[in-house]
């Protein structure tokens, strides 16, 4: 696929190598049925998120309406239209975690990283997400970093945990 106008709009953000990967992924799925979600998942892995420019490229490459791509991207929580950090920090705010101090843990994480929930640090090292319940109610409050779970986390331990991932 040739370089299009969408590439120039986010040229500072998405590298030519990433665009090449996107094109390879699209070529792998082109012409198959029911492949939009797996294709978008692989593209997000390659680019790190799915900005509109990438969605346009996928839609054109797979010959599907942009509205279909956009509706899938915005419906499923596994997709993000904004950059995602290398490390995903999750704070459970389910009832059990919240009453045990989850809100204080969240405040400490936001303070330590200088961003709010739903945001990503400028260096794209960390993103914060609020989780409604992770099913570890007896261990609350719970904080996750990627696949690691920190049970009964106290606000004064947040900096020590985050330092492991810096």
């Amino acid at each position: 696929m040739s370089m299009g106008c969408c590439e120039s709009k986010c040229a500072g953000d998405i590298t030519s190598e990433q665009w090449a990967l996107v094109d390879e992924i699209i070529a792998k799925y082109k012409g198959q049925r029911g492949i939009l979600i797996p294709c978008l998942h692989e593209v997000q892995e390659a680019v790190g998120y799915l900005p509109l420019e990438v969605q346009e490229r996928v839609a054109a490459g797979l010959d599907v309406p942009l509205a279909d791509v956009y509706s899938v991207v915005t419906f499923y929580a596994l997709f993000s239209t904004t950059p995602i950090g290398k490390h995903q920090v999750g704070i459970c705010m389910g009832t059990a975690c919240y009453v045990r101090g989850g809100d204080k843990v969240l405040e400490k994480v936001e303070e330590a990283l200088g961003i709010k929930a739903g945001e990503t640090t400028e260096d794209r090292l960390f993103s914060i997400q609020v989780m409604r319940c992770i099913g570890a109610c007896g261990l609350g409050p719970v904080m996750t970093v990627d696949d690691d779970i920190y049970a009964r986390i106290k606000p004064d331990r947040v900096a020590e945990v985050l330092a492991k991932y810096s």
Side-chain angles (χ1 to χ4, degrees):
M1 196 173 277
S2 64
M3 184 181 284
C5 64
C6 63
E7 200 162 82
S8 62
K9 283 189 235 172
C10 47
D13 204 29
I14 299 174
T15 67
S16 57
E17 291 82 14
Q18 287 172 316
W19 280 118
L21 259 170
V22 168
D23 291 340
E24 284 177 32
I25 294 164
I26 291 169
K28 178 172 90 172
Y29 286 102
K30 190 166 181 65
Q32 298 179 44
R33 296 177 50 91
I35 48 70
L36 185 55
I37 291 173
C39 179
L40 288 169
H41 182 67
E42 281 191 46
V43 169
Q44 181 167 278
E45 289 286 316
V47 177
Y49 66 116
L50 297 169
L52 185 58
E53 296 83 359
V54 170
Q55 294 176 52
E56 291 169 344
R57 184 77 150 243
V58 170
L62 295 178
D63 196 28
V64 298
L66 178 59
D68 290 357
V69 174
Y70 182 78
S71 65
V72 167
V73 168
T74 57
F75 180 79
Y76 291 102
L78 77 111
F79 298 122
S80 178
T81 58
T82 57
I84 301 170
K86 178 180 176 185
H87 300 292
Q88 297 288 304
V89 180
I91 309 301
C92 183
M93 294 298 269
T95 303
C97 287
Y98 181 82
V99 299
R100 292 182 180 147
D103 58 331
K104 305 288 188 277
V105 174
L106 176 60
E107 287 174 18
K108 201 62 159 179
V109 170
E110 290 176 337
E111 179 184 308
L113 297 177
I115 58 172
K116 296 287 185 193
E119 297 178 347
T120 299
T121 56
E122 280 189 37
D123 62 4
R124 292 195 186 164
L125 189 57
F126 292 101
S127 292
I128 305 172
Q129 70 181 62
V130 170
M131 299 153 48
R132 290 293 149 213
C133 181
I134 65 167
C137 303
L139 302 175
V142 176
M143 176 174 120
T144 63
V145 181
D146 304 327
D147 293 328
D148 300 329
I149 298 172
Y150 296 91
R152 297 186 182 94
I153 187 80
K154 300 291 183 213
D156 61 355
R157 286 196 46 227
V158 165
E160 166 193 339
V161 169
L162 294 175
K164 295 179 185 179
Y165 301 90
S166 293

